[in-house]
Amino acid sequence: MKFYDDEISSRLLIGTALYPSPAIMLEAIKASKAEIVTVSLRRESGTEQAGQNFWSFIKDSGAKVLPNTAGCKSVKEAVTTAHMAREIFETPWVKLEVIGEDDSLQPDVFGLVEAARILSEDGFQVFPYTTEDLVVAEKLISAGCEILMPWGAPIGSGRGLNNIYGLRSLRAHFPNIPLIVDAGIGLPSHAAAAMELGYDAVLLNTAVAKAGDPVLMAKAFALAIESGLQCYQADPIEKRDMAAPSTPVAGLPFWNQDHA
């Protein structure tokens, strides 16, 4: 699996906010087997984790950093934050968020497309946090995005996959574009369901960081991702409206036919 020019083996991306302590965060990242961690420049700079100590903890994880523009509500704000992140972390990667509504934290897809085009033209490799809308997806790809990150549900809601039909349609329409379900994942079963739809990866934060035992929950998600991926690769059976006996009558000894 490639994200732009980088080969990635882990299908789980994990956030770095909301943990009880930096030490537990590092343990959870290790337990998740994630190779990519997201960092919010705006949010972390306003908390007690801010400064060089927090950045050194992130570097100690050994994971690749995906800075994000969380909390940005305008194109200008998102572009400025992305430039700051590139300077600090020395990476062209950016998870682009342009929030359009406060209660649901739904993306402003119009601002998102505009910001994606500006950043792509400036050499950024953009990971856009978007909806499952097919038209928006086309415009983001035309703007230079080679990855799409549709939401499963509102950020931090833990509701799982709210629109399975929409997510399945997105996968079908863009078979060659890496797709990452981002936001709303609450349980390992939600992550497995995303992988069973054929998605390439899952990004989450709150479900692990706010769990009673973040490290154990990170392990659970790692297992769920692997299980869902193998399920998709195994080509599961189609759903049926009627029952189908697992033991057919044909070919059975006559004394077993009454019990088939």
Side-chain angles (χ1 to χ4, degrees):
M1 182 176 62
K2 274 194 172 183
F3 292 163
Y4 289 95
D5 297 325
D6 291 74
E7 291 188 359
I8 305 296
S9 58
S10 174
R11 306 285 179 143
L12 178 60
L13 290 68
I14 197 165
T16 56
L18 305 176
Y19 288 90
S21 70
I24 292 177
M25 176 192 72
L26 285 179
E27 286 188 58
I29 292 172
K30 182 178 180 180
S32 72
K33 301 180 180 178
E35 296 176 26
I36 299 172
V37 298
T38 61
V39 175
S40 171
L41 197 66
R42 286 171 55 87
R43 287 179 178 164
E44 296 302 340
S45 62
T47 71
E48 61 184 15
Q49 291 183 327
Q52 293 302 315
N53 287 337
F54 181 68
W55 307 140
S56 66
F57 269 105
I58 297 300
K59 292 176 181 177
D60 288 345
S61 72
K64 187 175 179 64
V65 173
L66 173 60
N68 69 45
T69 62
C72 293
K73 297 182 179 181
S74 70
V75 173
K76 182 178 180 180
E77 202 175 12
V79 169
T80 300
T81 302
H83 277 273
M84 292 171 60
R86 181 166 66 176
E87 183 176 343
I88 292 172
F89 294 107
E90 300 179 339
T91 176
W93 281 13
V94 63
K95 178 192 168 188
L96 180 61
E97 295 184 27
V98 182
I99 300 301
E101 205 277 323
D102 288 335
D103 291 333
S104 66
L105 299 180
Q106 181 168 328
D108 169 5
V109 294
F110 305 102
L112 181 68
V113 172
E114 183 181 351
R117 180 173 288 108
I118 293 170
L119 291 173
S120 295
E121 291 175 352
D122 198 28
F124 283 86
Q125 295 175 336
V126 180
F127 294 63
Y129 165 62
T130 183
T131 65
E132 65 277 20
D133 188 285
L134 297 176
V135 177
V136 175
E138 282 282 8
K139 291 186 179 299
L140 286 168
I141 293 169
S142 297
C145 299
E146 297 180 17
I147 288 174
L148 299 174
M149 302 182 72
W151 65 348
I155 294 172
S157 68
R159 298 183 61 86
L161 308 182
N162 274 356
N163 185 2
I164 291 178
Y165 172 81
L167 291 171
R168 184 180 286 116
S169 296
L170 195 66
R171 177 73 286 175
H173 277 76
F174 302 100
N176 300 318
I177 297 291
L179 298 180
I180 304 170
V181 170
D182 175 23
I185 299 297
L187 297 171
S189 57
H190 298 158
M195 300 303 294
E196 289 170 8
L197 291 177
Y199 275 69
D200 297 281
V202 170
L203 191 158
L204 55 89
N205 185 179
T206 307
V208 168
K210 299 297 287 183
D213 187 334
V215 177
L216 187 58
M217 186 61 80
K219 291 180 182 178
F221 271 104
L223 292 170
I225 292 288
E226 185 65 26
S227 175
L229 175 63
Q230 290 189 17
C231 172
Y232 178 74
Q233 293 173 337
D235 191 14
I237 64 172
E238 296 290 335
K239 291 182 179 179
R240 297 172 57 96
D241 292 328
M242 301 293 289
S246 57
T247 305
V249 173
L252 287 180
F254 70 90
W255 58 82
N256 281 345
Q257 290 185 10
D258 290 338
H259 304 288

